[in-house]
Structures are given as structure tokens and as C-alpha cells.
Amino acid sequence: MSEPPPARLPAGLRLPFDPLLALAAIGLMAASLVTLQASTSTDVPGDPYFYVTRQAVFFVVGTLVAIVLSRIDYSRLRELKYGIYGLMIAGLLLVAIFGGDTRGSRRAIQLPFFEVQASELGKVLLIAALAAFVVDRSRRLGERDTTARLVLVAMIPAIFVMSSDLGSGLVYIAILFAVLFVAGVSWRHFAGLLTLAAVSITLVLVAAPALGVTVLESYQVERLTSFLEPSSVAGDAGYQQNQSRIAIGSGQKTGRGERATQSPLNFLPEDRTDFAFAVVGERWGFAGAGLVLSLYALLVWRGLRILTVAKNLYGALIAGGIVAMLLFQVFINVGMNVGIMPITGIPLPLLSYGGSSVLSTLLAIGLLQSIYAQGRFAAATKRRSLPF
Amino acid sequence: MMMEPTGDRRTPITPQLALRVALLGGVALALFAVVFFRLWYLQVLSGDKYLAEARVNRVRELRIQAPRGKIVDRNGRVIVRNRQAVVVELDPAKLPDEERENAAEWGKRAGERLARPKGKRGEPIPYPPIANRALEVRYRNLGAVVGKSARRIHREVVRSLVLVPYSAIRIKTDVPESVLAHISERPERFAGVKVEKTYLRDYPHDTLAAQILGTVGEITPKQLKDPRYRGVQQGTVIGTDGLEREYDRYLRGVDGVERVQVDAFGRPVPNSALKREEPIGGQRLRLSLDLALQKTGQLALGNIGGGRPGAFVALDPRDGQVLGMGSYPTFDPAVLTKPFTQKRYEQLTGVGGVGPLFNRAISGRYPTGSTFKAITALAGLEKGLITPGAVIDDAGCIQVGEIERCNAKKQAYGSVDLSRALQVSSDIYFYKLGINAFYNDGDRGDVVIQRYARKLGFGRPTGIDLPGEDSGVVPDKKWRAERNQAEIECRKEKKIPQSLNVYAAGAQGCGIADGRPYNLGDTVNVAIGQGDLQATPLQLAVSYAAIANKGRVVVPHLGREIERANGELVQRIERDPASRIKMDEEDRQAVADGLRRAAGEPGGTSADVFAGWPHGELPVFGKTGTAQTSKGDQSWYVAYVPAKQPIVVAVTVERGGFGAETAAPIACRMLAKFYRVENAACVGGESVTR
């Protein structure tokens, strides 16, 4: 660059940031704390703030990491792509070997203070690595070989995650599709990939059980199909979905506030993680749930906006991956809460309680801020003005 | 300054990327729209429905059993009350599916076996094994507390699952309070076990009036559809027999509902009492029964009857209020409040259904013997076949058709008028009256006595407020023809030759009638209460009450008043009004005179039984009866006392010998108790006549 930036110190702190994106994140974090306070005040006897405090700590740590990340040029991550990819695979392997079981799914490594869910952090790592691999082959994007390699790169961790946690695995695949899509992979390849996906789904759901091969555990199949007709399923999944709908529906326009019963009396299962949105719906009604949804819409809109202001393809791809990750998780989780999506155990970004999920989402937001900052900075230095 | 690697140059937005970003944005917009609309639908359009569902979720309705009303005697002394008992039940929904499937399979096979004809059923179907080890442990834990083996509980569970698949399985009724505490404190050890308090009927006087009180039980699915029980909730305890059934709608009460807020695990939430509907206890039923008289009657029947079956009825002749009603053998009704064994049940119902549960006072039909002579006399007087003063010669025997009939022990009484004939119970007088009636009855011969008897209540139920009343039999031409026809059809069906004599046919399963037409012998038999004439003790009491009443035939009844629990009157029980029969006062006096002399003057059939009785102030108008049956003499006594507080008593003892031997002393004791007469003998009489 011929023109050095104006000499103001320190450089990192003067980088611009996207206030709307920050607003959405802060709004959601606040909503999470308020919701958790409502739903968990009696969960731990004698300590009504047990979960709120912990979630707040996750938020503080996550926000600090995000701020630091947003002041760094994300482009440097490209150089570390093998390291990032390796870290992700290593993390998943460690979980597979040492991880503890939660409800039939092996997801986390127990650490002294909290457990690390490698599959959560892996989402962001995959985005960073996959985007880097795409950029490496950006001149040969039309080739089938490129698409195949990229699919392979993403599918290795995806299948790995899916083996224990189907929902999170699907997030990996959503990321893959989004990155390929933003990269400009040809429509034909997409058509081929979709066909492949359809065939493998058929194999897993229909052909394999017929041959007596168990690919999906019966509880997984039940979860995936119960949303079609919740009350007809006597088992756990149908019950959860029914209770969630009752919770949300009973909130009506403005919510039941302190008169809420579904969550306080434990009819609503997993009310601090998977079904946190239903708590919002019951307590604060359409007003509250709509506000939370709007914050997510804001988040996604800013993500797409940042995609367009990225200073390079790498940034655009990362932004695309992050948008897909957030959009997919929000839609699946909220859809599950309102009874139009299957139960998959995907947390609602920032709203659900859990350190790994919070950290991974805040990492993603930090990355978006970095892309925004770098994009704006590059534009400013090039005297190119972009519309806000 | 910054490294710009190949392939990652600053890329202005290409049209292709713009298109893709737009598409991505479009997808995002669509997804958010879908979720928003869904939210709108759930919360704004269907919110009411889900709010209601949330309410259903958290509110559990628990039935609070209403105590049934008490039953008290005419003086308010308690005959039936309630007591709280603890019952242990198993929730069928908490049993493993396998146990239920096994039970269903067993039920199917056992049902098929029962459907086969007797003798070809083969071995009983063995019970299935206990479904799994865990269940066996559960059964054993429960069994240890209630004193049953795991296998026995398992068998009871299987049977209950077959009979009433969704009802709670009652494992034990009436366990000590300590068991309630023990089980409630260890829910993990007693999964699916419910311990509840319930009301059981309690009978402070044991066997007193056992047959008339009846039983209670949970309403059956069939009864739920019966209009009689409209509005009754499932699980309600209703009266199933006797007075409990007859006055159920007063005694029943209305169960209450307790609504509690529960969490997802069904645990009640503290301080969350919701609206509670208190149970409304049943109303109190005051009977006309006199407990003291009842006790005396039952005691006398048991002692003097010497263990032979029998029954007594005591009525207020003015309005038919039942003052006492007993049947022997008897039982303690408390045994029916808990589950009992098949053996016990058979013992209660007895062979042919005439065990302790059988109320002989209203359901036992017996030949009446000489007690019927008063009715024959009234019929003859009414028709003008005899006059009170007309005298006949009683030589001890008389030729009726081709058969010679005699008084008991061929005793000859010489010249007897009606009054004397009743006093000494001359058969000859009434044979002659019977012959007279037969030949002065147009061309029928079966009208004079029978029509009068029917008007007095014979041959039809009296209409008492108890289920299971028998009609008795007043034999006439039509009745005999029907019996003969029934015999012919029975023989046809069982392929017994029509020519076979009635006794041989009887041994093969018919033996209903001998095929002969109605004749003189029938009317003569009816005239002295023999032959095919049969009546219940209650019918005789009603007919004598009519004599005491100058022709008013009352409808007997036990229920007198419906009251609140504190005794406040709610309503009097209305009975069907009495009917009237034409009874000439002079004729009635003549018959009454005979009855009075029979009980109160030397030579009367029951005079020595009533030795020492103050006949001056409390004249007894009584008649003995001795009906000859294939099993022995049926002892009868029917009497009324037209005092300020009148009473009519009818007593019978099967195989009790002459009327004066057993029935009369029992009646005497009852009257002595009723009128507080202390020096009456009330011992078996030496009567020579029936």
C-alpha cells in the first residue's frame, strides 16, 4: 500500500466497528440473562443466580475475545489454515476419546470449570479453514475437483460430529453449502451435491434400516420425525415438542410474566438450553419472542452486509459461512420450539445457556467485526466510500 | 504493508456475488417470515387454546370421596355408618407393557376355555410368569407390606387387568395407618403404588338386619349408562343391593374435587391451593325399623329356631311401616365391604341361592298352613257360604272326593262355629268350607278364595322398598294349566317321555306339574293353606294387617324419612297409598274373635305359648300354621295386637314343627319386647292342631 494510514495511535483501537451488529449481540446477551434468570431461579437450591452468573461470565470472556479478534486482521488466519483445521480435528478426536456422555450424545470434554464442546468451537474453525481452502483454489473454482476437495474437507468433521450429534453435524454441512455458494461454485455442482445429499438421506433413513444396519439410533429417528405429528408420539420427543408449543402459545400477545407455569413447573424440558426460546415466548409473549427474532434478523442482515463490504474473498467467505451458521441454528432451534422443525439439540446462539456455544458465537461476531473493520479501513484508505 | 496473497485481491462485488448474496438474503428473509408467521399463529391466533392446555397441564383433579349417609332406626340409633380405611392400589399404567400383554393373552385363552362346554374345558390356563425381575421385586416389596406373596399379587394383577384393564388394581383393603405412612415415605421402593383413604360401610350391630341393608360398590361401566345413575361420575360408590340400592340417590352424596397445581413430575406445588369443591355427604336415611324389636326377633329366631332357617316380619298395621324384619341364617355385612374369596361367596349365597344373603322375609315362598284359614274364613263370609254363628260337626275326618282327610292326630272337635274353628284350627271346618266354595263357584271352583286372597296381597309383590321380593303363588285353573304346559315343554326339550310319572320326570330335570287339571282337591288344599298355595312372611303380615285395619291393605316400607346429617328432616318418604278391600265388620269381628281365642283362651292353638300374657289390656289375635312340606313341617305364626301402638308379626321357621312349637314363641317374645311385657311364657306350646 502506497499510502500509509493516518498516524493515530494505537492503530487497532481506531478501527471502526459495526454498531448495529454490536447492538444485536448485546441485545441478545441481555435477553439471555433475563430469560435465564426467569427460568433457572429455582434450579439450584439456594443459588438463584447460579446459571445467570455463569452465563454472564461466558459473555464477558467471549466479548473480550471477540473484541480482541475484531482488532486483528482476520486475513492472517489464512496462513494458519492447516493449524486451524488440525486443531478442529484434534478437538473432535479428543472428545470422541475422552468425552462424557450427555443424553446419549458424546459431545464434551470435562474440564475443571466447564466442559468444552469441541463441535461448537469447531463450527467457527471450519469456517476459517474452509474459506482459506476456497481462496487457495479460487482460480479453479469451476472445476469439479475443487468442489469435491472442499466437500471432503468439510464432510470429514461433519460426519465425525454427526456420529454423535446429528444437529451440529448439519450445521457443518450448512456452512459448507454457504461457503461454496458465496465462493461461486457452479449451479451444476450444487445440483449434483443436492442429489448426493438426497440419496444419502434416503439410504440412511430407508435403505439402511431395511437392511438391518443401524445408522441412526431410534431416539434420533423419533426426534427427527416427531415434529410432524407431536401428539401422536407417546415418547419423549413428542412430549417436548407439545410442551414447547403450549408454552409459546400460552404466552399470547404480551406473555404470562410471573404467572408462567410451563417453565417454572418443569413441563418445558431443557428450558435453559434447547427450549430457551419457549421460555421467552411464554413469559413475554409475541412481543418478547418477536423482539428476540428481530435481533437475530438484525444479526443476519449485518452479516450479509459485512459480506458485501469485505475487503477480500476470504472475508466474504467467512462472513457467508457465519451468516449460514447463525441463520441455520436460529431457524432450526426456533423452528423446533414452535413445532415446525425436528428436535435436534442445536442451541440458540447467545440465548441458550452454555459456554462453548456462547464462545463460538461471539468468536463469529468478533470475526464479522474484524471483516467489517478491515473492509471499512481498506475502503477508507483507498478513498473508496461504500454505502453503510 | 499487508501481504496480499494471490487469489485474494480486493474483489469488488461482482454481479454474480451480488446475485448470490441477494439469494442468501432472500432465503434468510423467507425463513424469518416462516418463523414469524408461525409465532403469530401460535401466540395470537391460538393463544387461548394453548393457555387452556397449559392449565390442564398443571392442574390435577383429585376426587374426594363423599361419605355415604348413615342409616338409622326409627329412634335414630345408628345401623349403618362409615369408617375410614386405607386401601392399597396399583396403577395399571405404571406396569411394564409386557405384564399387560401377558395378562391380555392369558385373559384371551382363559375366556376361550370358559366358552367351551363344561367337562371339555381341559386344564385351567396357567398364569403367565411375572414379566421381569424388576417387577417381581416390586411385587415382593409390596407383598411384604400387605402380607401377600409376589405370586399372589401377580395373579390378582393379571385377573384385574383382564376384567377392568384401566381401573386401579386393588391389592388390599383396610390396611393399618402405619402402612400408609410406610409406603408414602418410600415412593422409590413402591413405584406405581397408590395408598388412599376411603370410606367403608361400618355396621355397629353386626348381623342386625343384614339382609335388608344391602351392599355398596363402585359404579360399573354398564351402570354408568343407566339413566338411573345419570350424572354420576366414574369411580363413585353406589348402593348395589338392598336399602343401599333402593335409597341410593339420597345416601350417595356428591364427591368433591380437589384441584392442585402440580409440576411436570406430578408433585403438588406448595402453596398452590386452587378452587376446591367440598364433597357433599349423603343424607341420612331413617328407617321405620325398631332396633330393639329387631334384635329380639333375630335372637329369638336364632335360639328358638335352633339353627333352622326362618324369617320374621313386624309391621305397623296402620301404615305398613316395617318395625322388624329378619332372616336366618344371617351374616355380618362387614364381610361384603372387603374383597372375599369364592369359597366365602358360595357360603354366603348358599346352595340354590338360599344362604345367609337370602332374605326369607320377602323372598322366601312357603306354603302357609293354617295361618291362611283366616283368609279362607273371610272369603267364605264375604260370599255368604258360611255365617259366623253357623255350626258344623267336626268328627275328626271327612271324605273329600275319593280321599279321606283328617284333623291332625284325627282329633274330633264336635260342634264348631267359625270362632271355635279358628281357635282350635279345625281342618274339617275349612275342608267343608273349601268343598262349599268349590261347588258354589259357578262352574269354576277357583274364584271365591283365590280372588279374596289376591285382594289381600297374595300372589303379587307387596311393593316393599326392597329389591328381590317374591310374588308367592295363589293356585287356580289358569296357573295349573300353565304349569302343566311348562311340564310338557320341559319334557319335550329334555326328551323325557310325556307318559312318565311326575316323580320320575322330576329326577330327570322336569317334574314341574303332574298334568292333572284343577279340581276339588286344589280348592280344599287352598282353604287350609296347603297344596300349591305359597306366600312370603311379608305377604301374611300384610294380610293380617288388613284384618286389623278393617280392610285396608297397606304397602309395607322400611324407609321413613330422609334427613340431614344432623337429623333435620328433609322429606318424608311417600309410599303408594293402601288399597281397600270390602270387609263386613261383623264378619271381621267373627274372624278376629277366633284369632283372639286361639291365642288367649284355653284350648286355643297358641294359648299356652301366651300363658301369663296380659290378654285383658293387650289382646293378641294370632294364628298358628303348620304346613306340611317334603322336608318337614313349616312352622308359622301370624298375630296382631290392636293396641294404641298396634303391631302385626309374622314368623316362620323351616322344619320348625307345629306352629306353636317354634314360630309362636318367637312372635311372643317379639310382642313381649314391643309391649314391655315381662311375665309372658313365650315357650313352645303343646298344641295338637296345626
Side-chain angles (χ1 to χ4, degrees):
Chain A
M1 296 218 179
S2 50
E3 229 174 338
R8 274 172 268 164
L9 293 170
L13 293 177
R14 276 180 286 101
L15 286 171
F17 76 102
D18 185 345
L20 285 177
L21 179 63
L23 180 73
I26 291 165
L28 286 168
M29 287 191 278
S32 171
L33 293 178
V34 173
T35 308
L36 270 177
Q37 168 55 29
S39 64
T40 66
S41 59
T42 57
D43 285 9
V44 178
D47 189 358
Y49 298 103
F50 182 86
Y51 288 106
V52 179
T53 317
R54 292 180 152 233
Q55 183 82 334
V57 170
F58 297 147
F59 283 151
V60 170
V61 173
T63 307
L64 289 176
V65 172
I67 289 172
V68 170
L69 194 59
S70 70
R71 302 301 89 181
I72 296 169
D73 186 357
Y74 64 91
S75 303
R76 291 196 185 159
L77 296 174
R78 255 192 77 200
E79 303 156 30
L80 305 171
K81 61 193 177 214
Y82 293 111
I84 291 170
Y85 193 76
L87 182 66
M88 172 183 69
I89 296 292
L92 293 175
L93 273 174
L94 279 173
V95 168
I97 296 163
F98 302 109
D101 279 355
T102 40
R103 285 170 285 129
S105 301
R106 180 163 288 195
R107 288 176 182 176
I109 298 177
Q110 305 279 341
L111 287 183
F113 297 107
F114 78 117
E115 37 181 56
V116 180
Q117 287 195 344
S119 63
E120 286 297 332
L121 297 171
K123 291 169 190 169
V124 185
L125 298 180
L126 177 70
I127 294 170
L130 189 64
F133 292 133
V134 171
V135 172
D136 285 350
R137 293 185 69 99
S138 59
R139 290 177 188 285
R140 301 166 61 188
L141 274 177
E143 292 173 21
R144 191 184 298 162
D145 184 47
T146 305
T147 308
R149 283 182 187 214
L150 295 171
V151 167
L152 188 68
V153 163
M155 283 312 285
I156 289 170
I159 287 172
F160 209 83
V161 172
M162 266 196 276
S163 69
S164 68
D165 179 2
L166 191 66
S168 298
L170 292 176
V171 178
Y172 283 54
I173 293 175
I175 289 168
L176 166 68
F177 271 84
V179 171
L180 291 181
F181 186 72
V182 174
V185 168
S186 82
W187 295 108
R188 279 191 303 109
H189 290 183
F190 270 110
L193 282 177
L194 287 173
T195 317
L196 198 68
V199 169
S200 43
I201 287 170
T202 316
L203 277 176
V204 167
L205 285 181
V206 184
L211 293 170
V213 182
T214 312
V215 180
L216 285 179
E217 299 291 340
S218 60
Y219 81 93
Q220 288 176 314
V221 176
E222 187 196 305
R223 281 169 151 210
L224 288 178
T225 51
S226 70
F227 78 100
L228 297 171
E229 233 180 311
S231 44
S232 75
V233 184
D236 202 33
Y239 171 82
Q240 296 186 351
Q241 203 116 48
N242 243 346
Q243 296 304 336
S244 171
R245 282 199 309 180
I246 292 172
I248 291 176
S250 67
Q252 296 185 300
K253 285 174 194 152
T254 52
R256 304 173 74 189
E258 287 305 306
R259 288 201 310 278
T261 55
Q262 285 291 95
S263 159
L265 299 182
N266 289 315
F267 288 107
L268 188 66
E270 309 291 335
D271 58 357
R272 61 175 181 268
T273 53
D274 294 359
F275 289 99
F277 187 76
V279 176
V280 177
E282 188 186 16
R283 288 232 161 209
W284 295 284
F286 186 70
L291 177 69
V292 168
L293 266 189
S294 305
L295 289 174
Y296 282 117
L298 183 62
L299 204 61
V300 168
W301 171 51
R302 286 324 292 169
L304 284 172
R305 186 80 194 93
I306 287 167
L307 194 167
T308 61
V309 303
K311 69 174 178 183
N312 52 20
L313 180 62
Y314 187 51
L317 291 172
I318 290 178
I322 289 171
V323 165
M325 175 183 94
L326 295 175
L327 183 62
F328 187 80
Q329 294 197 87
V330 169
F331 181 68
I332 297 286
N333 180 284
V334 175
M336 164 179 100
N337 273 264
V338 297
I340 56 172
M341 280 285 134
I343 293 185
T344 46
I346 292 180
L348 190 55
L350 294 184
L351 208 73
S352 291
Y353 172 82
S356 303
S357 166
V358 163
L359 202 59
S360 119
T361 309
L362 286 174
L363 275 177
I365 287 168
L367 273 175
L368 284 180
Q369 287 287 16
S370 170
I371 296 163
Y372 177 84
Q374 296 301 323
R376 301 293 289 183
F377 184 73
T381 50
K382 284 189 176 177
R383 301 269 178 265
R384 278 195 55 189
S385 67
L386 284 169
F388 180 65
Chain B
M1 172 185 121
M2 217 178 276
M3 193 183 68
E4 289 277 308
T6 36
D8 196 13
R9 295 182 315 277
R10 161 100 208 100
T11 42
I13 298 208
T14 61
Q16 194 207 15
L17 183 60
L19 174 69
R20 295 201 171 196
V21 171
L23 277 174
L24 211 52
V27 168
L29 195 66
L31 294 183
F32 275 106
V34 165
V35 173
F36 258 107
F37 278 117
R38 177 69 180 171
L39 261 187
W40 177 264
Y41 170 76
L42 284 182
Q43 301 193 291
V44 180
L45 299 184
S46 330
D48 293 338
K49 179 187 144 209
Y50 287 109
L51 192 60
E53 280 189 36
R55 191 186 144 67
V56 170
N57 242 344
R58 72 191 167 91
V59 177
R60 287 286 173 281
E61 294 198 342
L62 305 174
R63 168 185 299 279
I64 314 170
Q65 197 187 2
R68 270 181 90 77
K70 287 178 184 168
I71 301 179
V72 299
D73 88 334
R74 65 187 302 117
N75 302 313
R77 293 170 64 185
V78 175
I79 304 174
V80 185
R81 62 188 175 196
N82 301 301
R83 83 187 160 87
Q84 274 209 322
V86 179
V87 293
V88 180
E89 293 176 333
L90 257 180
D91 182 357
K94 301 268 169 66
L95 290 170
D97 290 342
E98 207 189 331
E99 180 84 348
R100 268 178 294 170
E101 283 156 17
N102 287 349
E105 175 66 25
W106 179 85
K108 208 175 121 222
R109 291 178 60 201
E112 284 165 2
R113 176 177 173 269
L114 284 177
R116 289 195 287 272
K118 233 175 179 170
K120 290 180 186 168
R121 287 180 184 166
E123 292 293 300
I125 310 297
Y127 284 92
I130 299 175
N132 56 45
R133 184 98 188 92
L135 186 64
E136 192 177 344
V137 171
R138 276 168 65 186
Y139 284 164
R140 201 175 306 139
N141 289 344
L142 183 57
V145 186
V146 300
K148 289 185 178 182
S149 70
R151 281 181 55 82
R152 183 157 165 215
I153 291 178
H154 169 66
R155 267 178 278 167
E156 287 171 2
V157 166
V158 168
R159 275 200 302 267
S160 174
L161 285 174
V162 169
L163 295 173
V164 274
Y166 302 107
S167 291
I169 303 159
R170 188 160 292 189
I171 301 299
K172 183 109 178 174
T173 303
D174 203 10
V175 296
E177 286 278 324
S178 59
V179 172
L180 171 71
H182 183 85
I183 293 179
S184 315
E185 281 160 17
R186 296 167 182 78
E188 69 293 337
R189 200 172 147 83
F190 298 102
V193 177
K194 289 195 296 184
V195 201
E196 281 175 353
K197 285 193 175 177
T198 186
Y199 290 109
L200 291 186
R201 283 309 227 180
D202 188 35
Y203 305 90
H205 301 285
D206 301 335
T207 66
L208 214 67
Q211 290 88 358
I212 65 174
L213 299 174
T215 48
V216 297
E218 202 164 289
I219 192 164
T220 63
K222 208 173 142 196
Q223 285 166 331
L224 275 173
K225 292 182 194 127
D226 188 339
R228 186 188 156 97
Y229 299 108
R230 186 169 294 148
V232 177
Q233 299 287 310
Q234 198 184 340
T236 307
V237 170
I238 57 163
T240 49
D241 199 8
L243 288 170
E244 298 273 19
R245 179 184 151 85
E246 200 70 26
Y247 292 100
D248 181 57
R249 74 195 172 98
Y250 304 107
L251 291 168
R252 192 194 304 137
V254 182
D255 287 351
V257 178
E258 185 172 16
R259 296 188 178 84
V260 288
Q261 180 157 316
V262 293
D263 66 10
F265 311 105
R267 292 179 302 219
V269 179
N271 308 321
S272 67
L274 300 169
K275 209 172 75 189
R276 176 184 157 108
E277 281 169 26
E278 293 297 332
I280 304 165
Q283 291 170 314
R284 196 164 91 159
L285 173 65
R286 188 186 283 261
L287 301 180
S288 55
L289 218 59
D290 180 330
L291 213 52
L293 180 67
Q294 177 76 19
K295 212 174 262 180
T296 307
Q298 281 191 216
L299 212 62
L301 181 62
N303 291 342
I304 302 173
R308 285 162 293 193
F312 67 86
V313 176
L315 301 181
D316 182 330
R318 293 171 299 185
D319 55 6
Q321 286 190 22
V322 178
L323 300 169
M325 177 182 281
S327 179
Y328 191 91
T330 186
F331 63 100
D332 182 354
V335 301
L336 300 179
T337 61
K338 299 182 202 174
F340 40 85
T341 60
Q342 180 72 19
K343 203 175 136 198
R344 187 61 172 274
Y345 178 72
E346 280 163 10
Q347 185 197 327
L348 284 170
T349 53
V351 180
V354 290
L357 291 177
F358 186 64
N359 186 358
R360 289 174 160 75
I362 63 163
S363 309
R365 50 153 81 167
Y366 304 105
T368 62
S370 303
T371 54
F372 196 72
K373 285 174 181 165
I375 289 95
T376 310
L378 284 167
L381 290 164
E382 158 76 16
K383 182 76 179 172
L385 300 178
I386 49 170
T387 57
V391 172
I392 65 132
D393 180 43
D394 180 349
C397 287
I398 188 179
Q399 194 74 18
V400 180
E402 291 162 6
I403 308 156
E404 184 178 63
R405 302 205 184 208
C406 300
N407 283 332
K409 296 172 187 161
K410 300 199 177 172
Q411 187 85 24
Y413 296 104
S415 296
V416 291
D417 62 359
L418 174 59
S419 166
R420 173 79 179 152
L422 285 168
Q423 182 194 4
V424 299
S425 201
S426 160
D427 284 352
I428 302 301
Y429 185 95
F430 288 94
Y431 283 143
K432 284 190 172 170
L433 178 52
I435 296 167
N436 230 344
F438 186 78
Y439 290 115
N440 285 286
D441 211 3
D443 53 354
R444 290 190 56 93
D446 65 340
V447 176
V448 176
I449 302 172
Q450 281 88 336
R451 190 173 58 194
Y452 202 86
R454 275 196 207 96
K455 280 187 190 166
L456 274 177
F458 291 94
R460 60 177 161 85
T462 62
I464 191 174
D465 46 356
L466 281 177
E469 198 188 355
D470 196 274
S471 298
V473 176
V474 178
D476 56 11
K477 281 186 171 167
K478 190 170 153 239
W479 178 82
R480 181 153 283 285
E482 280 168 10
R483 300 282 290 176
N484 287 335
Q485 189 58 36
E487 173 79 18
I488 290 167
E489 264 151 36
C490 173
R491 289 191 186 191
K492 266 186 198 158
E493 195 172 296
K494 298 202 170 163
K495 304 209 162 58
I496 302 168
Q498 299 288 352
S499 56
L500 212 60
N501 84 43
V502 66
Y503 301 107
Q508 292 181 35
C510 283
I512 299 162
D514 55 12
R516 66 170 175 81
Y518 188 90
N519 62 24
L520 173 64
D522 287 310
T523 301
V524 170
N525 270 337
V526 168
I528 61 157
Q530 286 283 354
D532 296 313
L533 181 82
Q534 288 187 313
T536 64
L538 182 63
Q539 285 174 327
L540 269 174
V542 168
S543 66
Y544 272 63
I547 300 173
N549 272 338
K550 303 178 182 173
R552 239 155 47 82
V553 183
V554 295
V555 175
H557 57 278
L558 278 153
R560 203 169 156 213
E561 282 160 12
I562 300 299
E563 303 168 335
R564 281 185 234 292
N566 59 13
E568 201 178 311
L569 180 71
V570 176
Q571 69 173 93
R572 277 179 217 291
I573 294 164
E574 300 288 336
R575 295 310 300 180
D576 301 335
S579 58
R580 268 206 165 274
I581 181 170
K582 209 176 122 199
M583 203 180 276
D584 183 78
E585 182 55 20
E586 209 173 305
D587 296 348
R588 193 189 74 84
Q589 289 284 1
V591 171
D593 193 48
L595 297 176
R596 186 187 54 73
R597 287 171 68 190
E601 284 185 10
T605 48
S606 54
D608 41 5
V609 176
F610 283 92
W613 183 271
H615 286 290
E617 35 184 312
L618 293 168
V620 176
F621 296 70
K623 183 76 197 79
T624 53
T626 310
Q628 289 155 307
T629 72
S630 53
K631 292 178 202 151
D633 284 345
Q634 174 90 19
S635 177
W636 277 98
Y637 196 74
V638 189
Y640 65 87
V641 180
K644 191 174 169 217
Q645 175 70 262
I647 189 172
V648 53
V649 177
V651 180
T652 190
V653 179
E654 292 176 25
R655 293 177 274 115
F658 276 30
E661 280 180 61
T662 48
I666 295 167
C668 176
R669 288 208 185 165
M670 290 175 69
L671 293 176
K673 177 76 189 176
F674 192 68
Y675 291 112
R676 299 197 178 85
V677 172
E678 274 162 21
N679 37 13
C682 296
V683 290
E686 295 288 310
S687 169
V688 290
T689 49
R690 301 194 163 104

